Amino acid sequence: MSPSVSSNIGSNSEIMKGRTVSGRSWRQPKKRASSIVTTISLNAASKSWEQRHAEKEAQKATALLEKELKEQTRQSILDKKARKADQEKRRMENEFKTASRQAQLMGKHSGLKMKAMNKKQLRQIKKTRMNTKTGVLEYVPAYAK
């Protein structure tokens, strides 16, 4: 009986290599981290200086291209803002001109009193105000803040 027991213990000792502290016999013995990493020819071989230099140049080129694209988008945003401000200025100037013409026309009907005016005429009454952003005089509704 002892030979069968010893053969059983021998095969068991190769697998277990002693009892675990926690008593969990199903745990696998830990391997070294180096044995876990798969070594293939691409990973194992170190890159030549030319390859590293070419990769670095490619990275520089992509970074430069990205920087140029960001600059283009920033410039387009600035152009849009400038164009919008110019359009706003022209709109205010045109509104001022038309309002002044209307005021001249209303001067002809100066005999009209405020009480005699209809709603549409009252709505057309405007006052002048200096636009703080553009520095241009503009006409605004009489009760606008």
Side-chain angles (χ1 to χ4, degrees):
M1 250 206 198
S2 68
S4 65
V5 171
S6 64
S7 66
N8 193 11
I9 292 171
S11 65
N12 207 11
S13 65
E14 289 173 9
I15 296 169
M16 287 290 293
K17 287 190 177 179
R19 186 177 167 166
T20 58
V21 176
S22 63
R24 291 182 281 189
S25 57
W26 61 88
R27 303 253 343 225
Q28 295 289 328
K30 293 186 177 180
K31 296 179 182 176
R32 283 185 56 94
S34 60
S35 66
I36 295 170
V37 176
T38 56
T39 55
I40 57 174
S41 60
L42 291 173
N43 289 346
S46 62
K47 295 176 184 172
S48 67
W49 185 85
E50 289 83 10
Q51 285 176 325
R52 282 182 283 156
H53 189 67
E55 285 180 2
K56 196 175 257 189
E57 288 296 321
Q59 283 179 346
K60 281 184 182 178
T62 53
L64 185 66
L65 183 65
E66 188 176 336
K67 194 174 183 180
E68 286 175 1
L69 289 173
K70 283 184 180 179
E71 181 61 30
Q72 282 179 354
T73 55
R74 191 184 69 81
Q75 191 62 38
S76 67
I77 289 169
L78 289 176
D79 291 343
K80 281 182 183 177
K81 282 184 180 179
R83 195 167 58 240
K84 189 175 182 181
D86 189 41
Q87 285 175 345
E88 180 72 16
K89 185 178 177 183
R90 275 191 277 121
R91 187 183 68 79
M92 291 295 185
E93 287 172 358
N94 291 339
E95 187 177 335
F96 185 77
K97 287 176 188 175
T98 57
S100 62
R101 276 193 226 110
Q102 284 179 351
Q104 288 171 357
L105 288 174
M106 285 194 75
K108 290 180 183 175
H109 307 292
S110 60
L112 279 174
K113 301 284 188 217
M114 290 282 282
K115 288 184 178 180
M117 289 183 178
N118 60 24
K119 272 190 176 181
K120 192 172 186 179
Q121 288 171 326
L122 287 170
R123 265 189 256 120
Q124 288 177 348
I125 295 174
K126 302 209 177 214
K127 64 179 181 179
T128 56
R129 181 173 67 184
M130 179 70 74
N131 189 342
T132 56
K133 292 180 182 176
T134 59
V136 178
L137 271 177
E138 61 183 14
Y139 275 111
V140 293
Y143 298 105
K145 291 186 178 182

